Amino acid sequence: QVQLVESGGGLVQAGGSLRLSCAASGLTFSSYAMGWFRQAPGKEREFVAGVSWVPSFTYYADSVKGRFIITRDNAKNMVYLQMTSLKPEDTAVYYCATTKVLSRSSNSYDNWGQGTQVTVSS
């Protein structure tokens, strides 16, 4: 079974930081690109950040550039999202996902975690 388990979400004040983690199992982790998505109530799921498997190229949604950093550790089957300078607009459920084709589109992703809630207060 492929499993992706997110952790690290919580409540933080605007301007604060959180680091989200995603632990993967049941797949050859290094063969997949990884992405982080988020979804707020009543809104579409949107791309946040992605990282390739080799070389480790990264790309970000315009809304998080300069504030979020995505990294991966293939030896540990982990991907992270370091979030700084958080804004209330960042409040959402955050999901990690895998893809064989690097993309900003959720349709390209094969496996999804259950999500972790991030709430940013003003």
Side-chain angles (χ1 to χ4, degrees), residues 86-97:
L86 283 162
K87 304 175 181 179
E89 304 93 275
D90 296 318
T91 296
V93 177
Y94 284 71
Y95 302 87
C96 66

Side-chain angles (χ1 to χ4, degrees), residues 3-6 22 45 95-97 111-115:
Q3 285 190 303
L4 301 175
V5 181
E6 301 96 335
C22 176
R45 188 168 298 186
Y95 302 87
C96 66
N111 301 292
W112 296 82
Q114 295 302 303

Side-chain angles (χ1 to χ4, degrees), residues 61-75:
D62 289 342
S63 60
V64 306
K65 284 182 179 177
R67 299 190 297 121
F68 292 7
I69 299 174
I70 185 171
T71 57
R72 69 186 297 160
D73 186 337
N74 288 344

Side-chain angles (χ1 to χ4, degrees), residues 33-109:
M34 300 292 298
W36 284 96
F37 289 77
R38 66 187 183 188
Q39 188 168 24
K43 294 186 177 181
E44 293 284 301
R45 188 168 298 186
E46 66 173 340
F47 172 80
V48 176
V51 59
S52 63
W53 54 274
V54 62
S56 294
F57 296 125
T58 59
Y59 55 103
Y60 301 90
D62 289 342
S63 60
V64 306
K65 284 182 179 177
R67 299 190 297 121
F68 292 7
I69 299 174
I70 185 171
T71 57
R72 69 186 297 160
D73 186 337
N74 288 344
K76 296 181 178 180
N77 290 0
M78 297 286 291
V79 62
Y80 307 94
L81 186 68
Q82 178 66 53
M83 305 185 294
T84 60
S85 300
L86 283 162
K87 304 175 181 179
E89 304 93 275
D90 296 318
T91 296
V93 177
Y94 284 71
Y95 302 87
C96 66
T98 69
T99 179
K100 287 288 190 178
V101 180
L102 197 61
S103 175
R104 295 173 181 264
S105 173
S106 61
N107 292 335
S108 296
Y109 290 77

